[in-house]
Amino acid sequence: MLLAGGQGSRLGVLTAKVAKPAVAFGGKYRIIDFPLSNCINSGVDTVGVLTQYQPLRLNAHIGIGIPWDLDRNVGGVAVLPPYEKSSNSEWYTGTANAIYQNLEYMESYNPDYVLILSGDHIYKMDYEVMLDFHKENNADVTIAAMPVPMEEASRFGIVVADEEKRITAFEEKPEKPRSNLASMGIYIFSWPVLRDALIKKKDVPGCDFGKHVIPYCFEQDDRMFVYEFNGYWKDVGTLGSYWEANMELLDIVPDFNLYEEYWKIYTNSSILPPQYLSENAVIERSIVGNGTEIHGEVKHSVLSAGVVIGKGSVVRDSIIMQDTVIGEGCVIDKAIIAENVKIGDNVTMGIGADTPNKAKPNIYSFGIATVGENSVIPSDVQIGKNTAISGVTVKEDYVNNVLESGEILIKAGE
């Protein structure tokens, strides 16, 4: 059961019109491709994808599951939005509530085990190895966890376990953590245990695994174990971590390798022409998608399919998503530009002081300029750091042709 209904509000304008799991990643993929590919690489062939917030692009991307070999008569992939019931209809209000509302879907398969995943993390993991661990320990619940620095442990759900990996305590964001094993939000439940917990906790408002279901399993004295994971795992929930994770793909030996033959990442790819590089094009250590046209310079950046970079333009340390067109003579520094954006000529982005964002300093930070999808930026304007732009903007929207660092420009209706 893959939880993919997240709004991802900390990604700001990137998720104004699209669910976080459907946000582009690594030039070719969307975030949800990683857990879906993990499923098929691990031999999991029955996947329920729970959608809620802005599901259109996510639904279109998953389709009937062909790229992941999940288009099957029995099992395969099923998209599970909230739906109208004869009584007590509601949106998914918490992670466990979402799973509870799809009890009937799970019962139709009468499984031995249920694997619960989040749709918005970047990692590779063989769930079959975790399931073997679950079976060997005759566990009722297994929680995947990874070591984090002790000083950061208070940001996570923390698992405390004995030498045999049996969990003795689970603390949700403790002030003084007793362990550095952070829950990854990946659970394997033996079906009768999960079914009982969901039914017993069904009336809890915003029922959540970390806050309600796991503590309930403790009360029942269920056999709970921790499966320690030591590979690459990233929650790309903030603009900073999203930008960093993309940039890490450009390292000479990346921590997260997209090119491994034995663990492929599958995606729903458009049929596109090859890249075109003009005689003046310069590309250094970048990922460049199909159908791109580059007439300028691209340095240490990630470009999705169908991007156009005009003559004399320079793009550095940036993420440019699908079908965005950047005009001539532009300089784009440390920016995240969403899909189908049109940028005029002689635009400078990512300049000036690293001033904190005035309206949303906790979202628009890290010195990044962020542009939402379908936006238009006119020619001859300058845009500072920690900024956000969304909508069709015109020259008059920019004071003296400048959007200062720390400012937001969002047009009505966006």
Side-chain angles (χ1 to χ4, degrees):
M1 299 294 276
L2 181 50
L3 294 155
Q7 184 174 348
S9 55
R10 290 177 301 158
L11 290 177
V13 292
L14 295 187
T15 49
K17 297 174 186 169
V18 62
K20 179 178 163 188
V23 170
F25 183 85
K28 177 174 178 160
Y29 307 100
R30 297 193 183 276
I31 293 170
I32 198 167
D33 291 336
F34 296 90
L36 272 178
S37 297
N38 287 342
C39 284
I40 204 64
N41 287 329
S42 303
V44 178
D45 60 9
T46 304
V47 183
V49 180
L50 287 73
T51 62
Q52 179 157 286
Y53 172 81
Q54 297 276 22
L56 184 64
R57 192 167 312 155
L58 196 58
N59 295 353
H61 180 68
I62 294 168
I64 57 169
I66 292 171
W68 304 275
D69 191 28
L70 287 169
D71 52 326
R72 301 175 180 227
N73 291 332
V74 178
V77 71
V79 176
L80 304 168
Y83 58 93
E84 189 79 22
K85 305 167 195 66
S86 55
S87 64
N88 190 28
S89 290
E90 61 176 352
W91 290 101
Y92 297 150
T93 58
T95 52
N97 173 269
I99 302 291
Y100 168 73
Q101 289 197 44
N102 289 284
L103 212 55
E104 208 174 300
Y105 168 76
M106 293 182 288
E107 280 178 331
S108 68
Y109 291 100
N110 191 26
D112 293 321
Y113 308 100
V114 178
L115 168 69
I116 291 163
L117 306 171
S118 170
D120 50 13
H121 298 142
I122 305 292
Y123 65 108
K124 295 177 190 173
M125 184 178 188
D126 190 340
Y127 304 132
E128 196 171 6
V129 176
M130 183 176 170
L131 180 60
D132 289 343
F133 173 88
H134 181 87
K135 290 175 181 174
E136 281 163 18
N137 287 290
N138 193 23
D140 296 314
V141 184
T142 299
I143 300 175
M146 66 182 296
V148 296
M150 204 66 183
E151 58 272 17
E152 290 179 27
S154 58
R155 290 173 37 216
F156 301 92
I158 292 297
V159 177
V160 183
D162 63 20
E163 288 172 7
E164 288 162 3
K165 302 290 184 193
R166 185 157 183 178
I167 298 172
T168 55
F170 183 87
E171 305 168 335
E172 189 67 30
K173 298 183 180 172
E175 272 185 42
K176 293 184 178 172
R178 290 188 281 153
S179 148
N180 70 332
L181 280 180
S183 169
M184 299 165 67
I186 298 169
Y187 310 102
I188 292 178
F189 282 86
S190 296
W191 171 233
V193 172
L194 177 63
R195 191 174 179 282
D196 169 66
L198 293 175
I199 290 168
K200 289 287 193 325
K201 291 288 172 185
K202 70 179 192 289
D203 297 323
V204 174
C207 190
D208 186 81
F209 279 100
K211 290 179 188 146
H212 306 111
V213 170
I214 301 298
Y216 172 79
C217 293
F218 267 117
E219 288 165 22
Q220 304 310 299
D221 209 23
D222 289 329
R223 288 178 60 80
M224 299 175 69
F225 285 80
V226 60
Y227 173 74
E228 193 171 324
F229 177 73
N230 284 291
Y232 180 97
W233 179 86
K234 198 129 189 170
D235 179 353
V236 288
T238 64
L239 289 172
S241 61
Y242 173 78
W243 181 85
E244 263 180 356
N246 273 276
M247 293 299 116
E248 283 167 0
L249 299 175
L250 304 173
D251 292 342
I252 292 168
V253 182
D255 286 342
F256 189 73
N257 191 347
L258 294 173
Y259 305 96
E260 285 169 336
E261 192 63 34
Y262 73 93
W263 198 271
K264 290 182 178 168
I265 308 299
Y266 300 93
T267 189
N268 188 345
S269 285
S270 308
I271 306 302
L272 289 163
Q275 302 128 332
Y276 172 75
L277 313 178
S278 79
E279 61 177 340
N280 298 317
V282 176
I283 299 177
E284 291 178 9
R285 221 164 95 189
S286 295
I287 290 172
V288 180
N290 287 345
T292 48
E293 270 185 55
I294 300 177
H295 302 273
E297 297 183 16
V298 177
K299 299 182 176 183
H300 199 257
S301 293
V302 174
L303 273 56
S304 292
V307 169
V308 178
I309 309 291
K311 257 186 219 170
S313 287
V314 181
V315 175
R316 286 186 287 254
D317 300 323
S318 294
I319 301 163
I320 317 290
M321 296 187 203
Q322 199 165 322
D323 297 330
T324 283
V325 177
I326 295 173
E328 299 185 357
C330 297
V331 177
I332 311 292
D333 258 318
K334 201 171 183 184
I336 301 175
I337 300 175
E339 299 181 26
N340 199 34
V341 171
K342 304 283 181 284
I343 296 178
D345 300 333
N346 305 313
V347 171
T348 311
M349 190 177 292
I351 57 153
D354 198 347
T355 310
N357 189 275
K358 290 176 186 171
K360 296 181 175 175
N362 57 333
I363 294 178
Y364 302 114
S365 57
F366 218 69
I368 297 167
T370 310
V371 183
E373 64 180 59
N374 302 322
S375 297
V376 174
I377 296 174
S379 298
D380 306 309
V381 298
Q382 295 185 329
I383 295 157
K385 297 176 179 176
N386 300 324
T387 48
I389 296 173
S390 183
V392 178
T393 67
V394 293
K395 269 273 183 67
E396 290 69 32
D397 296 319
Y398 299 80
V399 179
N400 299 325
N401 296 341
V402 176
L403 183 69
E404 298 283 358
S405 293
E407 297 287 348
I408 288 178
L409 175 51
I410 296 181
K411 295 303 288 270
E414 292 300 318

